[in-house]
Structure formats: C-alpha cells, structure tokens
C-alpha cells in the first residue's frame, strides 16, 4: 500500500469534496465514513436542500461533476427577495444586475452527496473505509495515526475532520467549541404554491424567525421555517390544511395558497464554532468547525469554501516549497477561514436578531434597513455578490 498523505474522516458533502480535491492534486487519501449514503430518489426528494452559491458550483464543476448534479435535479434562482411581515419595501437582488443568468441553484443534499460519492469510489487515489468510524487519534512529530473501530490502523501526514457538528475528531483533539442554542428549530418541507415562484428565493423575516421559500420545480417550493421549539413541535403535528393556513398567513400569501407535498421534519438550530480549525497536523472543515444558522442557505456554502481555500493553500504550498502539505500554509489557511467563518456566523445571527424580533425599535430599524439596502446600489450589489459567492 502506498503511504497516505491525508486521512479524511466524514463523507458528507464537505468531506467528500475535500477527499476528491486532494486526490485530484495527486495526493494519496483515505476516507472514513460511518454510513454509506442513502441513494438519491427521483420520486421522493430529500427535504434537506442547499442553496448552492456560484463559487461552490464552480468547485463541483472543477471535479467534472456539475452535469451529474443537473442530471439528477437542481433548480436555478435568478432573484432573491427579502421582506418582512410589517414593512412594504422588499430588498431584491437580481442576477442580471451582476451580469449573471442566476444567483445559485437549489438542490438536494442526497443528490450532491451521491454524485460526489460515485466519483470518490472510482478515484484510484482514494481508499474508502465505509462503514467504519474513527476510534482513536494520536499525533507524532511527522504524522497522524488514526485507529478505526474495525481495528484498522492508518497513518498519514495530515488528517481532516469533516465529521459534522458532533465531530468525534474535534472531541478526540480536545478542541473546545463556543455554543449558542437559538432555542429554535428549522422546519423543512415541500409545498405546492398556487402562484409561480418566479425563480426567486424568498426570505421573509417574521418576529418568530426567518421563513424561506426556495424554488423547486414550477409550482413547488422547499420551505425552511425557523420557529420556537414549541411552535415547531406543534406545527409538525397539525393537520396538513391547518399547517398550510399557518404557513400562508406567515408568508402573507405572497405565492397564493399552499398545499403540503411531503412530510415535515424539523432540526434544532444552534451555532457551534470550534475554537480553532487546526491543531498539530489535523484540520477541521465544514460543520465540524462551524455549524451556523441556516439563514439564506449559507451553512453548506461555508464548508465548501473551506475546501476551495484548502485547494489554493495546497497549490501555493506546492509552488513555493514543493510540498503541498507545508505547515505554514495550513496555519495561514486555518487563520483566514476561521475569521471568515466566524464573521459570517455572527453576521447571520445578528441579521436574525434584528429581523426576527418583536421589539418596536428594531422593527422600525429593519424596515429602514431593507429600504436603504434596496436603494444603495453598491451596497446591494456587494450583498448580492456575497450571497452568490462571487
Ligand atoms: C434537516 C436538515 C436541513 C438542513 N437544511 C439546511 C439548509 O436549508 N441550508 C443550509 O445551509 N444548511 C442546512 N442544513 C445544514 C447542512 O446540512 C450542513 O451544514 C451540511 O450538511 C454540513 O456538511 P458536512 O459535510 O460538514 O457535515 P455532515 O453533512 O453532517 O456530514 C458529516 C459526515 O460524517 C460522518 N460521521 C460522523 N461521525 C463520524 C465518525 N465518528 N466516523 C466516521 N464518520 C463520521 C457522518 O455519517 C456524515 O456523513 C440542514 C441540516 C439538516 C439536518
């Protein structure tokens, strides 16, 4: 067996992308994943959707896989409209103003994971250990040793923990996290809408939290509704008609009457930021490093940006020192990504705090902010560029 360069723990969207990226740079990779992914189903869409920004679409395209994603299912959106329940002036971002045909695509977690998984299993530079789990992690001066629960022992020059918000890699390294429980759940489902969504990703701010309608087919939207835990639990159990009445009322009937097309599921919303993204020769990526509020669908985008930035660090390092895994570049990568992810996580949280609040002063402020944001074109374009990943 060839000596390993990198062991990636976790084969979600971020770990699979990291493994592929490293393998395509000529590095020898082992990928450890606890469960083989459940297959994408044409007839039963995965409720966990992603608003994939253009820079992350480019990352998937660089693997030669974007067409495979489109062959399954992905819906472009060319406008993003942000409004609140009280004020009339919405904030609208148009792809045309940025000279683009669209701002991003809505796609299912299962579809992207399946496409990446298929590529990983055919990649000669990747050894796959699945189903298996990390059991131990020890570092020596020059390598990381990882013991798997199956008894397999692996060693490599670098380890990557991409094993999600409850990361075992992070725990084994003793890296502390800064946690904030929003006391909310994100309720997700697919609904039929009476009016067409106009290829727009809608984000409505309510006192209780944001409600997104994301285009998913002609008269179909994926909704992501942030609610107090009690309200989410209540709405999960109500009759479909009663649920849709509450939804239509919250969304001010913008797309007409809705009809439920799927089960409803809810997941707890919390911010969890690891204190560092590097320790010794191990890196944390994706939700293992930063689980954030799913406002504007940016959570997954941050994780995939970790991967793109790591590719740039490998390339720069190989150019300078002849070694893609040079420590100084990795430390620089971790510092930059840590500050960008922290700023983004806190920005999402502050937007949520200002816009999802029944405080009268904040309510007045948000109306002004939306109006101002819409009128100041350079500010609006800067926000649109950030959301689209340009
Ligand atoms: C229901 C739901 C809806 C969501 N909706 C949105 C949304 O609308 N917008 C948005 O931006 N985000 C959303 N999110 C969050 C988004 O899914 C995550 O940000 C994203 O999946 C993170 O990707 P990841 O690869 O870092 O982690 P994960 O997707 O969590 O992948 C981690 C992987 O590691 C594996 N693993 C875990 N422990 C071990 C171990 N010990 N050994 C080996 N492997 C292990 C797991 O099996 C898993 O495959 C949602 C999440 C949920 C649950």
């Amino acid at each position: 067996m060839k000596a390993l360069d990198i062991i990636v723990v976790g084969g979600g969207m971020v770990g699979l992308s990291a493994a592929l990226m490293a393998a395509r740079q000529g590095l020898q990779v082992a990928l450890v994943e606890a469960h083989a992914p459940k297959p994408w189903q044409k007839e039963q869409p995965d409720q966990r959707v992603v608003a994939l920004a253009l820079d992350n679409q480019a990352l998937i395209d660089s693997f030669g896989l974007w067409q495979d994603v489109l062959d399954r299912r992905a819906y472009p959106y060319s406008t993003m409209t942000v409004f609140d329940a009280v004020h009339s002036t919405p904030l609208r971002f148009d792809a045309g103003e940025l000279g683009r045909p669209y701002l991003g695509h809505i796609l299912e977690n299962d579809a992207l994971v399946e496409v990446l998984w298929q590529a990983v299993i055919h990649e000669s530079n990747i050894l796959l250990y699945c189903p298996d789990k990390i059991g131990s992690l020890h570092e020596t001066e020059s390598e990381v040793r990882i013991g798997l629960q199956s008894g397999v022992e692996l060693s490599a020059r670098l380890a990557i923990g991409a094993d999600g918000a409850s990361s075992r890699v992070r725990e084994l390294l003793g890296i502390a996290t800064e946690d904030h429980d929003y006391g909310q759940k994100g309720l997700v489902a697919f609904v039929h809408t009476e009016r067409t969504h106009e290829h727009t990703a809608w984000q409505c701010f309510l006192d209780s939290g944001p409600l997104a309608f994301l285009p998913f087919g002609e008269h179909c939207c994926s909704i992501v509704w942030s609610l107090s835990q009690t309200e989410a639990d209540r709405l999960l159990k109500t009759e479909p008609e009663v649920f849709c009445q509450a939804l239509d009322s919250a969304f001010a009937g913008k797309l007409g009457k809705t009809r439920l097309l799927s089960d409803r599921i809810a997941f707890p919303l919390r911010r969890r930021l690891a204190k560092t993204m590097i320790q010794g020769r191990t890196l944390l990526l994706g939700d293992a490093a930063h689980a954030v509020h799913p406002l504007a669908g940016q959570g997954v985008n941050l994780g995939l940006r970790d991967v793109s930035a790591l590719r740039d660090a490998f390339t720069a390092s190989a150019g300078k020192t002849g070694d893609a895994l040079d420590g100084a570049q990795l430390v620089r990568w971790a510092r930059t990504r840590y500050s960008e992810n922290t700023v983004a996580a806190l920005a999402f949280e502050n937007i949520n705090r200002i816009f999802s609040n029944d405080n009268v002063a904040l309510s007045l402020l948000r109306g002004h902010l939306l109006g101002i944001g819409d009128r100041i074109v350079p500010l609006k374009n800067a926000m649109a560029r950030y959301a689209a990943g340009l």
Side-chain angles (χ1 to χ4, degrees):
M1 187 175 102
K2 286 186 200 160
L4 286 175
D5 293 304
I6 304 184
I7 304 165
V8 178
V9 181
M13 244 182 239
V14 174
L16 289 167
S17 302
L20 262 186
M21 176 279 287
R24 299 281 170 95
Q25 300 243 333
L27 298 164
Q28 298 297 320
V29 181
L31 176 69
V32 183
E33 165 54 43
H35 314 282
K38 69 177 166 62
W40 170 77
Q41 292 178 346
K42 190 174 173 37
E43 304 308 327
Q44 209 174 359
D46 181 14
Q47 278 113 319
R48 190 163 162 181
V49 303
V50 187
L52 197 77
L54 296 175
D55 55 343
N56 288 325
Q57 176 185 326
L59 173 72
I60 306 301
D61 203 24
S62 74
F63 301 143
L65 298 176
W66 182 243
Q67 189 56 46
D68 293 356
V69 172
L70 294 179
D71 288 345
R72 285 169 178 76
R73 191 158 42 204
Y75 296 102
Y77 56 96
S78 48
T79 306
M80 200 184 279
T81 298
V82 182
F83 64 104
D84 83 352
V86 183
H87 302 91
S88 52
T89 325
L91 177 58
R92 266 174 72 97
F93 304 119
D94 278 305
E97 288 168 15
L98 300 179
R100 301 285 173 143
Y102 43 77
L103 294 170
H105 282 81
I106 308 298
L107 49 100
E108 297 145 89
N109 184 79
D110 281 359
L112 185 51
V113 167
E114 182 176 88
V115 166
L116 291 166
W117 183 263
Q118 289 301 325
V120 159
I121 57 181
H122 291 107
E123 185 70 47
S124 58
N125 284 359
I126 301 180
L127 291 173
L128 191 53
Y129 294 87
C130 176
D132 213 334
K133 282 186 173 179
I134 182 170
S136 63
L137 186 155
H138 299 286
E139 287 207 9
T140 66
E141 230 165 71
S142 56
E143 62 181 18
V144 190
R145 292 190 183 146
I146 287 184
L148 304 186
Q149 287 186 353
S150 60
V152 171
E153 297 283 334
L154 300 170
S155 60
R157 296 178 58 216
L158 186 73
I160 289 179
D163 49 346
S166 307
S167 169
R168 179 81 181 122
V169 172
R170 192 183 61 219
E171 197 184 323
L172 287 167
L173 289 171
I175 297 178
T177 56
E178 202 238 306
D179 289 17
H180 176 72
D181 189 340
Y182 295 104
Q184 287 185 319
K185 282 186 176 172
L187 190 156
V188 291
F190 291 104
V191 295
H192 177 273
T193 58
E194 191 179 5
R195 286 204 279 278
T196 167
H197 45 62
E198 298 162 1
H199 305 288
T200 297
W202 304 82
Q203 180 94 39
C204 171
F205 284 102
L206 303 161
D207 291 346
S208 51
L211 164 61
F213 270 61
L214 306 173
F216 198 85
E218 251 331 287
H219 279 265
C220 178
C221 284
S222 156
I223 60 151
V224 187
W225 194 357
S226 307
L227 293 155
S228 72
Q229 286 168 357
T230 335
E231 188 58 1
D233 291 342
R234 188 185 74 77
L235 283 171
L236 281 175
K237 287 188 218 126
T238 53
E239 289 300 315
E241 299 73 31
V242 178
F243 173 80
C244 286
Q245 275 165 14
L247 182 65
D248 296 348
S249 150
F251 200 57
K254 277 261 187 268
L255 297 180
K257 278 195 170 25
T258 57
R259 180 164 43 83
L260 205 51
L261 294 174
S262 72
D263 290 343
R264 291 154 274 182
I265 53 172
F267 60 104
L269 298 182
R270 61 174 69 97
R271 159 168 52 86
R272 176 172 285 169
L273 296 177
K275 296 276 187 198
T276 176
M277 292 177 71
I278 185 167
Q279 185 158 301
R281 299 202 64 84
T282 305
L283 314 178
L284 295 179
L285 269 70
D287 274 21
H290 44 75
V292 301
H293 197 286
L295 189 66
Q298 290 294 326
V300 178
N301 285 311
L302 295 181
L304 293 175
R305 279 177 198 143
D306 293 341
V307 177
S308 297
L310 192 59
R311 178 190 52 199
D312 296 345
F314 286 173
T315 310
S317 186
K320 250 189 216 158
T321 66
D323 176 11
L325 308 186
D326 175 59
Q329 283 292 339
L330 298 178
V331 169
R332 214 164 295 141
W333 166 87
R335 208 181 296 137
T336 313
R337 289 309 300 154
Y338 178 82
S339 64
E340 284 186 15
N341 289 325
T342 306
V343 167
L346 297 180
F348 298 158
E349 189 164 318
N350 282 323
I351 291 171
N352 188 35
R353 196 172 291 148
I354 294 175
F355 283 88
S356 304
N357 201 304
D358 56 6
N359 176 296
V360 176
L362 289 179
S363 167
L364 286 171
L365 175 65
R366 71 187 178 202
H368 285 303
L369 287 177
L370 286 177
I372 291 169
D374 199 60
R375 283 194 302 273
I376 304 179
V377 175
L379 172 66
K380 190 168 116 159
N381 284 348
M383 289 193 280
R385 268 197 296 276
Y386 179 79
L390 291 172

